[in-house]
Amino acid sequence: MAHVMAEARASYAFVERNFNLVKRYFNWEVVFLFYNIINTLTIGLIGVGQDERTVLYLVIGALLWGYLSVIFFEVSQSISWERWEGTIEYTFMAPVRRLTHLLGMCLFAIAYGVIRTAIVLVAVVLFFDLSLKGANLFGALLMLLVSSVSFIGLGLVTAVLPLMSPERGSQGAHIVQGIILLVSGVYYDISVLPAWLRPLAYISPATYTLEGARLALLDGVGTLALWPYVLKVLVIGVVSIPLGLAIFSWGERHAMRTGKLKRSG
Amino acid sequence: MGFIRGLMGGVKKQVVALQDISFEVSAGEIFGVLGPNGSGKSTLIRIIATLLIPDAGEVYVFGHNVQTERLLVRRLINRVSVDAAFFKKLSALENLSYAARLYGVQGSTARARMRETLRRLGLAEEKLTVPLEDLSRGMQQKVAVARALLTEPALLLLDEPTTGLDPKSKREVQEFVLEVREKRGTTVVLTSHDMQEVDRLCDRVAILDRGRIVALDTPRGLKEKFGRPEGTLEDVFFALTGKDWEEDR
């Protein structure tokens, strides 16, 4: 029990550190949040000439994508960030299991993502005067939380890239994020994708998250009926998290063998 | 111990950083590693700090293998590097609080140690909440020393801790290192290319040249064997390598 508490405290170190950084970059946080709200409203306005369902369809896409991309970005860029700051050697030298380190980063990403998404949601509801009567809010929230697991897995897989090469690794993570945005039906149904792109949609957890959340919010489908979507997203998470950790562990050893952790000197 | 150091036009250039290095450090000793830039000092520190895996050879810290018992070794050590790596937007207290949590130091103990160490190093109270990017290089390095000592390491790795500091700050850090050894019995491995610093602080000194230890003894012993008893370690370096100290710096 004492061991678990010690690991939890160490994990919290990363959460606290990142929230301290958010405070120090507060002006930028406000700017990013403002842009995020405007972006979501702009996308929602595309559907205003049609009907409320279309507006809600688009807004759900923008909100969920905003949340999932925060999770993905925070996890996948956590190593890049430390490399730019020059603190990666200090963090890697600490007596903390890598699982604890990465878990701390993921906890921060979820907390930060939930706060940001909640603020954007309030702005969107006020702006469009949307009615969520009959919507299964609990089902949508469940989809959101379950999808965090699979996005953490994908984030871990790509977090290894900056260990190999700081600049190219970061670029690679952005490309992966862009592909997920393209194929997952964020603003359109995946049936409009060219046939050769559709297989990627089937392996993207965002596809099932969006489908499940839209069923819950637009059609009021019950939580039990969402289980096929929950299951698919969970399976991707169960596969991608151990895979991500294994790849990260391999990457760390490779970096330590080839001297890539070093910033300078 | 060689490793691939970088990419040069797509072809990996292999550089042997350290070769046939072997030495023991006694508990409570201040052991100096003296060498010019590129001699392998930082590589040696990184290997002991579990940050680099050597191609061959083994390193033990208080009986624990740095490769196979990494987590145990990490609990025993801490390191101050030349570049004082911090989250520069965070204050000294925020950076130290992060370190305390990572190393499992309880809140009240951590706060007491932080303030005491920083006070001892001459860092004013009002500077503790200022972002580190707004502090001078000397102050940042003092925070780095405080961060390392916050965890009360049995082995303190100091990788050129006073490089770039003004004479006053340099002296304060040096005196603090001696005090820590005196009070806590901390073992210290100190790398430097500052001959006077090594001469003043170290019980024994290894002189490193192009990845090899060319001599190892007390500062006095080195001078007697390779220079003049009243001479400097610079004379010793010249006698051993045939090069001026400044030549490789």
Side-chain angles (χ1 to χ4, degrees), chain B residues 39-59:
Chain B
S39 59
K41 301 187 299 296
S42 294
T43 301
L44 177 63
I45 290 289
R46 283 191 170 91
I47 289 171
I48 302 170
T50 75
L51 293 169
L52 266 181
I53 300 174
D55 293 336
E58 289 175 328
V59 178

Side-chain angles (χ1 to χ4, degrees), chain B residues 105-152:
Chain B
V105 183
Q106 297 292 335
S108 54
T109 312
R111 279 190 292 276
R113 281 189 205 159
M114 281 178 212
R115 290 185 188 279
E116 169 55 22
T117 309
L118 290 170
R119 188 197 57 76
R120 173 63 193 80
L121 282 166
L123 205 71
E125 185 84 16
E126 64 268 21
K127 298 285 183 191
L128 303 186
T129 51
V130 172
L132 276 169
E133 65 184 3
D134 295 334
L135 299 186
S136 69
R137 161 104 177 88
M139 286 183 190
Q140 288 184 23
Q141 198 64 356
K142 285 176 183 177
V143 178
V145 173
R147 180 176 63 176
L149 291 168
L150 176 67
T151 64
E152 296 205 325

Side-chain angles (χ1 to χ4, degrees), chain B residues 25-219:
Chain B
V25 179
S26 305
E29 181 179 8
I30 299 182
F31 185 85
V33 181
L34 187 64
N37 289 338
S39 59
K41 301 187 299 296
S42 294
T43 301
L44 177 63
I45 290 289
R46 283 191 170 91
I47 289 171
I48 302 170
T50 75
L51 293 169
L52 266 181
I53 300 174
D55 293 336
E58 289 175 328
V59 178
Y60 291 87
V61 172
F62 295 106
H64 300 291
N65 187 303
V66 299
Q67 297 311 324
T68 57
E69 300 172 277
R70 208 172 289 156
L71 214 53
L72 270 173
V73 171
R74 287 173 180 170
R75 289 200 182 101
L76 297 169
I77 64 171
N78 216 316
R79 163 180 172 246
V80 177
S81 60
V82 66
D83 51 5
F86 286 112
F87 285 91
K88 298 281 198 304
K89 283 275 177 200
L90 298 185
S91 68
L93 282 184
E94 285 167 338
N95 271 289
L96 294 180
S97 166
Y98 168 56
R101 285 195 195 280
L102 283 185
Y103 283 80
V105 183
Q106 297 292 335
S108 54
T109 312
R111 279 190 292 276
R113 281 189 205 159
M114 281 178 212
R115 290 185 188 279
E116 169 55 22
T117 309
L118 290 170
R119 188 197 57 76
R120 173 63 193 80
L121 282 166
L123 205 71
E125 185 84 16
E126 64 268 21
K127 298 285 183 191
L128 303 186
T129 51
V130 172
L132 276 169
E133 65 184 3
D134 295 334
L135 299 186
S136 69
R137 161 104 177 88
M139 286 183 190
Q140 288 184 23
Q141 198 64 356
K142 285 176 183 177
V143 178
V145 173
R147 180 176 63 176
L149 291 168
L150 176 67
T151 64
E152 296 205 325
L155 172 62
L156 181 60
L157 303 166
L158 299 175
D159 191 7
E160 300 187 28
T162 61
T163 298
L165 298 194
D166 60 78
K168 183 174 175 282
S169 298
K170 187 181 270 199
R171 191 150 191 93
E172 282 169 343
V173 170
Q174 289 172 352
E175 277 165 10
F176 193 59
V177 170
L178 289 170
E179 188 181 310
V180 164
R181 191 267 294 270
E182 184 70 27
K183 284 187 177 167
R184 300 184 194 162
T186 308
T187 308
V188 179
V189 174
L190 167 83
T191 76
S192 182
H193 50 215
D194 182 331
M195 306 268 188
Q196 287 174 336
E197 177 169 273
V198 169
D199 205 351
R200 178 170 180 232
L201 298 182
C202 299
D203 301 310
R204 287 188 305 146
V205 182
I207 294 184
L208 207 56
D209 183 41
R210 293 168 204 260
R212 289 175 189 272
I213 290 179
V214 292
L216 196 167
D217 206 334
T218 61

Side-chain angles (χ1 to χ4, degrees), chain A residues 60 64 135-147 209 212-214 216-217 221 223 226:
Chain A
I60 292 168
L64 277 182
N136 177 5
L137 291 172
F138 175 78
L141 189 65
L142 179 71
M143 286 306 311
L144 195 75
L145 292 177
V146 171
S147 66
T209 306
R214 280 177 174 138
L217 292 173
V221 169
T223 307
L226 295 174

Side-chain angles (χ1 to χ4, degrees), chain B residues 232-244:
Chain B
T232 65
L233 286 174
E234 200 164 338
D235 301 330
V236 175
F237 183 79
F238 181 76
L240 284 165
T241 65
K243 292 179 291 191
D244 274 338

Side-chain angles (χ1 to χ4, degrees), chain A residues 57-58 60-62 64-65 179-193 200-201 204 206-211 214:
Chain A
Y57 182 95
L58 291 168
I60 292 168
L64 277 182
W65 179 248
I179 291 170
I180 296 172
L181 171 63
L182 176 70
V183 303
S184 304
V186 175
Y187 304 118
Y188 40 78
D189 193 274
I190 58 167
S191 59
V192 303
L193 290 172
L200 287 177
S204 166
T207 304
Y208 306 112
T209 306
L210 284 155
E211 285 179 357
R214 280 177 174 138

